[in-house]
Amino acid sequence: MHKATFAGGCFWCMVTPFEELPGIGGIVSGYSGGHVENPTYEEVKTGATGHYEVVEITFDPQLFPYERLLELYWQQIDPTDDGGQFHDRGSQYRTAIFYHDEAQEKLALEAKEKVAASGKFQKPIVTEILPAQTFYPAEEYHQGYHKKNKDDYKADRAKSGRDEFIDQHWTGE
């Protein structure tokens, strides 16, 4: 099994597109890319720790290749927004692909170039491609949040604007 780590704004919204797909072994919401050890959600949400909200996906590349994970990832975000994602604002909600080896770095850079050349976006693609850093799992109440708190999750996602953006830019892909 391999790992993929993606920052795409609120980590709750980044779980559902990847779960229950063949070859996906698990998805953990958490934090990466900051300068504070063992950060809490309360610390990260201030933006002061430097962390991104991320999902760490364990996958079998024979059943679900990294390239396919990248395709799904790009279709969940606004890659032109460097101030957060949708209604979640702040550095902790920026987008990034954290690569775990040279092959992932190469594929992520190629995928970013493909998105930039697609003509779907008028502004530059600002999603960062960064080396994987220490991953800190988020508190238990964040894990599987969309299943534990269905109504709250649906309401938050509905007001975020994420689904409208996805429909506008990716429908028909």
Side-chain angles (χ1 to χ4, degrees):
M1 297 294 269
H2 292 209
K3 293 198 183 300
T5 306
F6 300 132
C10 174
F11 47 38
W12 299 339
C13 292
M14 292 300 294
V15 173
T16 56
F18 299 100
E19 71 180 352
E20 299 179 18
L21 295 171
I24 304 299
I27 305 171
V28 180
S29 296
Y31 320 110
S32 192
H35 54 80
V36 173
E37 289 187 31
N38 299 309
T40 66
Y41 177 70
E42 293 302 317
E43 292 170 324
V44 171
K45 77 177 186 178
T46 69
T49 69
H51 290 89
Y52 295 72
E53 284 196 9
V54 300
V55 289
E56 185 178 78
I57 302 168
T58 305
F59 68 102
D60 179 341
Q62 298 299 317
L63 297 174
F64 208 90
Y66 187 68
E67 295 91 333
R68 181 68 183 122
L69 287 173
L70 288 169
E71 289 173 19
L72 276 174
Y73 168 74
W74 289 107
Q75 294 176 19
Q76 306 310 310
I77 65 167
D78 176 353
T80 68
D81 187 349
D82 63 1
Q85 286 291 282
F86 311 105
H87 75 150
D88 293 312
R89 310 311 302 160
S91 62
Q92 67 275 30
Y93 299 115
R94 293 169 296 158
T95 60
I97 297 169
F98 289 92
Y99 59 86
H100 291 265
D101 56 35
E102 288 181 13
Q104 283 188 359
E105 178 185 22
K106 180 179 184 289
L107 291 169
L109 289 168
E110 289 172 359
K112 182 176 179 176
E113 288 291 323
K114 184 177 176 183
V115 169
S118 72
K120 292 182 179 293
F121 304 99
Q122 302 304 311
K123 297 188 279 184
I125 305 304
V126 297
T127 299
E128 295 185 86
I129 311 298
L130 302 169
Q133 298 180 29
T134 303
F135 172 79
Y136 298 99
E139 294 79 355
E140 182 56 36
Y141 70 92
H142 289 296
Q143 309 303 330
Y145 186 87
H146 64 291
K147 292 178 181 178
K148 297 174 189 172
N149 301 283
K150 289 179 185 176
D151 292 339
D152 289 343
Y153 170 75
K154 285 180 184 177
D156 185 66
R157 185 164 178 126
K159 72 179 179 182
S160 76
R162 184 182 293 263
D163 291 328
E164 291 84 355
F165 182 89
I166 291 169
D167 288 344
Q168 180 182 0
H169 290 87
W170 296 105
T171 299
E173 286 290 287

